[in-house]
Amino acid sequence: ELEKVQTSIIEPYREVEESTSDQFLAANTKSVSIDYLSKDCIIPVFAKDNQTIISHQDFIETVYNIVTFSFQGEKILKPAVRVSHPIKGRIPEAKHKSAEELEEHEKTLYYERMAFMIEIPTIHDTIGENNLSLSVGGVRALNSENLYSRKSPEKFKVFIGFKNMVCLNLCISTDGFCSEIRANTTEELGKQVHHLISEFNAVKEVEKFREMQQYSLSESQFAQLIGKSRMYPYLPKKDKKLIPEFPLVDSQVSAVTKEYYRSENFARDSNGNINLWKLFNLFTEANKTSYIDTFLDRGTKSTQFIDALVKGLSEPDFWYLQ
C-alpha cells in the first residue's frame, strides 16, 4: 500500500480546508500556494546532465501523501507554504531586453528556499491554556545542493511535532526531526518520511512539553541566562564543548527579553518568575525570524536547550545560571 501512495500523486488538499495560519515562519519569507509553485515557477536542473531536481511541489505532495496514508480518518488541512530567496531569470530569446521591456512569458523564477507545514487538527492536546495540534512539514534549501554537477541524492529536512495554536509556534524535538534526508526519487523520500512519522510518539512528546511547566526561573536567574547567552558566542571552543549550545542569535535574545515583559501569553508572572514552558515559547516565537534553512535546526535546539535547563536547575555549577 505504501508503494502505491508513493508512486501516485493524490490531490485531495486542493479541496480541503486551509491551514489555520501560514504564519509559522515570518522573516524574509512570503506565503504562496502549491498551484503557484506548479504553474509559475520553473524547476531547476543539475547542469552537467540536465536532470531535474525533485521540485518543491513534489516534495510537498510526497509528504502530504504519506501524512494522508499514516493518519487515515483524521482531518488533514491544506499545506501552508512559505518561500524565500527568489532566483529570477529570463528565456534566451529575451536576453537583450531591458528589465522594463520583459513580458510575463519571458520571465523565469524559482525559489531557493521553501518551508511548508501540514496541520492535523483532530490530533491535539492542551498544555496550560495552550491548545496544540499535530503538524508535519519540511524544509528545502537549494543553496545546499551542487546544481552545477551531475544529479546526486538531494537533501531534505522533515519534521513532525506540535503547533501551539495560541501563537502558531512549532514545538519540535530531535525525536520528530530528520535534519538531512537524502533521496534521488520521491519514492525514496516517501519511505524515509513514513519511517519518521511511524517512529514518532506523540504522547511522549506532549508529556515532555507539559513537564516544562513544573520548572521556573526567577527574575535574577532569567537575567543571568540572558547575560550568559550573549557571552556564549565568544567563548573559546574548548569551553563551548562543556556546556549546552545556545540556540538563538543576539537579535532573537533581544526579542525573548522584550517578550518576557510584554507577551500576552508567555510573560513573567507578578513576581518576575517564568516557567520553562513559557520560556520555551518565547524561544520558538523568536525563532520565527530565522531564515528558512536554519529555522528547524534552531527550533529543535531550543527544545534541547530547555531540556538541559530543566536538568541545570538542580546543578549548582550550571554555567548559564552561575
Side-chain angles (χ1 to χ4, degrees):
E1 291 184 5
L2 180 58
E3 292 293 338
K4 293 179 182 179
V5 170
Q6 293 165 353
T7 55
S8 62
I9 297 298
I10 57 177
E11 302 181 345
Y13 62 76
R14 301 191 190 279
E15 304 297 331
V16 303
E17 183 182 340
E18 294 277 359
S19 174
T20 52
S21 176
D22 59 9
Q23 299 300 315
F24 63 94
L25 184 58
N28 197 39
T29 64
K30 73 172 187 176
S31 174
V32 300
S33 68
I34 302 179
D35 282 343
Y36 171 77
L37 291 177
S38 301
K39 296 175 182 178
D40 297 322
C41 298
I42 64 170
I43 301 174
V45 299
F46 288 92
K48 288 193 174 179
D49 56 10
N50 206 33
Q51 294 293 310
T52 61
I53 67 166
I54 297 173
S55 68
H56 292 331
Q57 55 267 34
D58 282 346
F59 177 26
I60 297 168
E61 290 179 329
T62 297
V63 175
Y64 190 90
N65 286 345
I66 299 301
V67 169
T68 302
F69 174 80
S70 301
F71 298 103
Q72 297 178 40
E74 302 293 345
K75 183 177 182 180
I76 301 171
L77 302 188
K78 184 183 296 187
V81 185
R82 300 196 71 87
V83 293
S84 71
H85 295 74
I87 308 297
K88 299 179 180 179
R90 58 178 69 189
I91 62 175
E93 291 80 2
K95 65 180 180 180
H96 296 300
K97 286 188 175 184
S98 67
E100 294 76 16
E101 296 174 322
L102 284 175
E103 299 180 32
E104 284 304 313
H105 74 277
E106 296 172 326
K107 300 175 184 178
T108 65
L109 172 71
Y110 72 91
Y111 290 90
E112 182 182 79
R113 304 175 200 184
M114 182 277 299
F116 70 95
M117 183 186 64
I118 301 163
E119 186 182 342
I120 311 166
T122 50
I123 301 178
H124 57 88
D125 211 316
T126 302
I127 298 181
E129 298 179 352
N130 305 150
N131 294 322
L132 308 182
S133 65
L134 190 66
S135 300
V136 181
V139 159
R140 185 80 192 279
L142 293 177
N143 56 308
S144 66
E145 305 282 1
N146 183 7
L147 297 180
Y148 298 100
S149 183
R150 296 182 182 277
K151 185 172 176 64
S152 57
E154 301 169 46
K155 302 172 187 174
F156 304 87
K157 296 179 180 181
V158 178
F159 73 89
I160 176 170
F162 285 89
K163 182 173 76 169
N164 190 334
M165 301 301 293
V166 168
C167 52
L168 309 179
N169 295 353
L170 288 177
C171 307
I172 310 168
S173 72
T174 52
D175 291 342
F177 177 49
C178 191
S179 61
E180 189 173 291
I181 289 178
R182 289 180 175 265
N184 280 306
T185 65
T186 55
E187 288 77 16
E188 293 176 3
L189 175 60
K191 288 178 181 178
Q192 295 186 67
V193 173
H194 181 259
H195 177 74
L196 175 67
I197 291 175
S198 62
E199 292 293 311
F200 182 72
N201 186 329
V203 174
K204 178 182 176 183
E205 201 73 3
V206 170
E207 287 306 312
K208 177 194 300 183
F209 294 131
R210 183 170 285 118
E211 185 183 5
M212 292 177 182
Q213 296 180 105
Q214 301 173 20
Y215 301 89
S216 296
L217 296 183
S218 65
E219 186 173 40
S220 61
Q221 287 176 317
F222 177 79
Q224 189 75 9
L225 171 64
I226 293 301
K228 287 293 185 75
S229 72
R230 295 187 185 279
M231 296 168 62
Y232 176 82
Y234 307 103
L235 285 174
K237 288 184 178 180
K238 61 181 181 65
D239 293 336
K240 282 186 176 181
K241 292 179 180 179
L242 302 176
I243 60 178
E245 179 181 358
F246 192 80
L248 304 179
V249 297
D250 195 61
S251 61
Q252 293 170 332
V253 174
S254 296
V256 168
T257 307
K258 175 183 175 182
E259 294 306 311
Y260 165 79
Y261 293 105
R262 302 184 185 181
S263 174
E264 291 184 10
N265 301 295
F266 307 114
R268 62 177 185 167
D269 65 20
S270 58
N271 296 317
N273 301 324
I274 183 169
N275 72 48
L276 296 192
W277 168 247
K278 289 185 175 182
L279 181 63
F280 173 60
N281 276 279
L282 294 186
F283 275 44
T284 52
E285 180 72 19
N287 183 44
K288 289 181 184 177
T289 62
S290 297
Y291 282 143
I292 282 178
D293 55 337
T294 59
F295 172 65
L296 291 181
D297 301 88
R298 282 192 182 140
T300 307
K301 288 176 181 177
S302 292
T303 307
Q304 292 174 323
F305 183 80
I306 298 298
D307 287 344
L309 198 53
V310 168
K311 299 175 183 176
L313 283 169
S314 61
E315 298 174 2
D317 57 349
F318 186 64
W319 184 79
Y320 286 96
L321 300 179
Q322 283 181 330

